[in-house]
Structure formats: structure tokens, C-alpha cells
Amino acid sequence: MSHSHGQPHHHHTFAPSGQGTVMLDIGGGIGAMIIYTPAAMHGHEIEVSPVGDTGARTHAAVRARYVSAGVTFCVVIDGLPEGRYVVWQDDDTPLTQVEVRGGAVAEVTWPANLVAGRRPVSV
């Protein structure tokens, strides 16, 4: 779902996911983060990094996801070692910090009036 800097860049798919199709790598000391965004951010990348190591960023693209209440737009980043993470507004500006706990999913809501500074991912 996500990949770290320094890894080969894989093309993201922006096709909507079906209800119940997201599997997460969590458990023990590993957690995940979901960042809910406005629809206008579809295709934009959002980065997160551990608070103490802001150069070790992981990112994923905003996708449409079908849920029982309709469609939501979000980023899902799994496989995160538990700890405190920075959610980046753009390459240089932190948006917020979030605590990720092992075996759990942390949730963040992106401000409705803010579009990420990172350009949309090309397919």
C-alpha cells in the first residue's frame, strides 16, 4: 500500500477499492494510519515519518474507497512500527502528529480547506 523513499517507485492505482478489500499489516508492535481527505485530494500523495526521523518518510496516494455509507477518500498506510508520526502537509510543512499503536489503526482527518502541496501522482 505504501512505500518508503529509497525504494523503487511503483505506480499507484487510483481505481476505487471495493467494500472490505483493504488488508492491513498490523499486529504486535506494528500499526497503521488512515488519513481521511477531501475528494479534491484524489491522486495526491501524503507522506508520514517518525517524529525523530523526518527523513524516513513513507507515502501513499489518496484513493476513493467504497464503504457502507458511500464513498470516502483516504490514504491507508500500514506496516508502521508503533510510535509518534508526523503527517506532512507538503515537503517542508508538518500538518500534525499522530500516535500509532501496535495492532491498531490511527485515524486522521485532513482539513477540508487544505490541499496538499505534493503534486498528484502520475499513473
Side-chain angles (χ1 to χ4, degrees), residues 14 40-46 60-62 75 115-121:
F14 299 121
M41 287 186 59
H42 185 247
H44 285 256
E45 288 185 335
I46 296 178
V62 175
V75 165
V115 175
R118 293 183 55 84
R119 62 181 159 65
V121 180

Side-chain angles (χ1 to χ4, degrees), residues 76-93:
V76 177
I77 301 175
D78 67 340
L80 296 173
E82 62 185 357
R84 195 147 186 84
Y85 286 79
V86 176
V87 177
W88 293 91
Q89 176 179 322
D90 56 38
D91 288 340
D92 303 312
T93 312

Side-chain angles (χ1 to χ4, degrees), residues 3-117:
H3 56 277
S4 299
H5 286 286
Q7 299 290 328
H9 185 79
H10 301 285
H11 291 285
H12 295 279
T13 177
F14 299 121
S17 64
Q19 189 172 352
T21 61
V22 176
M23 293 187 62
L24 300 176
D25 175 15
I26 62 173
I30 303 296
M33 185 184 310
I34 297 177
I35 305 168
Y36 299 99
T37 71
M41 287 186 59
H42 185 247
H44 285 256
E45 288 185 335
I46 296 178
E47 292 184 323
V48 302
S49 67
V51 167
D53 189 3
T54 59
R57 297 186 186 190
T58 298
H59 66 269
V62 175
R63 291 184 53 200
R65 300 187 186 273
Y66 290 100
V67 295
S68 59
V71 178
T72 189
F73 291 85
C74 65
V75 165
V76 177
I77 301 175
D78 67 340
L80 296 173
E82 62 185 357
R84 195 147 186 84
Y85 286 79
V86 176
V87 177
W88 293 91
Q89 176 179 322
D90 56 38
D91 288 340
D92 303 312
T93 312
L95 176 70
T96 191
Q97 291 187 10
V98 180
E99 188 71 28
V100 172
R101 301 209 183 278
V105 179
E107 296 180 272
V108 179
T109 300
W110 193 274
N113 63 342
L114 181 64
V115 175

